[in-house]
Amino acid sequence: MTLISHIAGIWQRRPNIMHWAAIGAVALVAVIVVGGTQGRARSAAAAWGTPVRVLIAQSSLGIGVTPGSTQVVAMEVPAHLVPDGALKSSTQLRELARSVPAGGILTMLDVDPAASVSAGRRGIGIDAARHAPDVAPGTAVELLLYADVDPFAPNVAAGEAVRVPAHVLAASAERWFVEIELSHVDAVARASATGIVVPVVVGVNAIP
């Protein structure tokens, strides 16, 4: 084969060569684009964390409400925005121990105030006294205990009250759930059963 005929053969095969060169170029661009997308996805995952599916209030929910399917929605939220104890299933829903604003993530503290009791302390429920003030979780109160007193005989001298410091964990118009020192549990329980417990608000402080 002469040199001229050899060159002619290469020229005739040129379309195939150009075709595969074009395919190679497209593949290279695709690899670069996919690699960049995956890199951005990894960066976003590192920044936002793995999405977590949680229950979010569709509207404001008050104390004593048992949320239904129309009042909450399950949504995926970046992990770093999810609070501890976030509810992830409707089977965890119960009567609310505290109010939840619209858009708020429901947590175990909303349905089980005992979950927030500090180590070395005890949570106890008391009936709210008539005309007791409205309080929010974290309110510092003092419990005035009158044991062995008939609450329906107000003219009977009650004697000096025992004063017990406490923090409110949850409250409704009828009942408060408070946190107290272990040493006061028996006194509060006795006054609740046989006498009167009068809560007095002393300040609004965050629970330590």
Side-chain angles (χ1 to χ4, degrees), residues 9-188:
I10 294 176
W11 181 258
Q12 290 173 354
R13 292 195 301 271
R14 181 180 59 83
N16 289 334
I17 294 173
M18 295 300 294
H19 172 74
W20 289 111
I23 291 177
V26 171
L28 178 60
V29 171
V31 168
I32 293 173
V33 170
V34 171
T37 301
Q38 291 178 339
R40 287 192 295 273
R42 285 192 294 269
S43 297
W48 291 96
T50 303
V52 178
R53 199 169 187 81
V54 296
L55 299 183
I56 296 177
Q58 295 255 60
S59 58
S60 296
L61 304 174
I63 295 172
V65 171
T66 300
S69 58
T70 60
Q71 296 170 300
V72 298
V73 62
M75 293 183 62
E76 289 191 345
V77 175
H80 78 283
L81 297 179
V82 177
D84 292 338
L87 302 187
K88 301 176 182 177
S89 170
S90 58
T91 59
Q92 298 175 289
L93 292 174
R94 296 193 294 277
E95 181 179 313
L96 294 179
R98 61 182 185 177
S99 60
V100 179
I105 298 175
L106 283 84
T107 70
M108 284 302 297
L109 297 183
D110 297 320
V111 297
D112 183 12
S116 63
V117 176
S118 303
R121 294 170 71 87
R122 181 68 56 84
I124 189 168
I126 61 172
D127 292 329
R130 185 180 301 177
H131 307 305
D134 292 333
V135 292
T139 301
V141 299
E142 190 172 58
L143 306 180
L144 306 183
L145 310 181
Y146 298 92
D148 303 317
V149 173
D150 183 356
F152 299 102
N155 295 326
V156 177
E160 187 175 352
V162 174
R163 297 174 177 269
V164 173
H167 272 95
V168 176
L169 299 181
S172 66
E174 296 80 25
R175 194 163 179 80
W176 291 10
F177 188 77
V178 300
E179 179 186 85
I180 59 176
E181 295 287 350
L182 292 175
S183 58
H184 299 307
V185 171
D186 290 343
V188 174

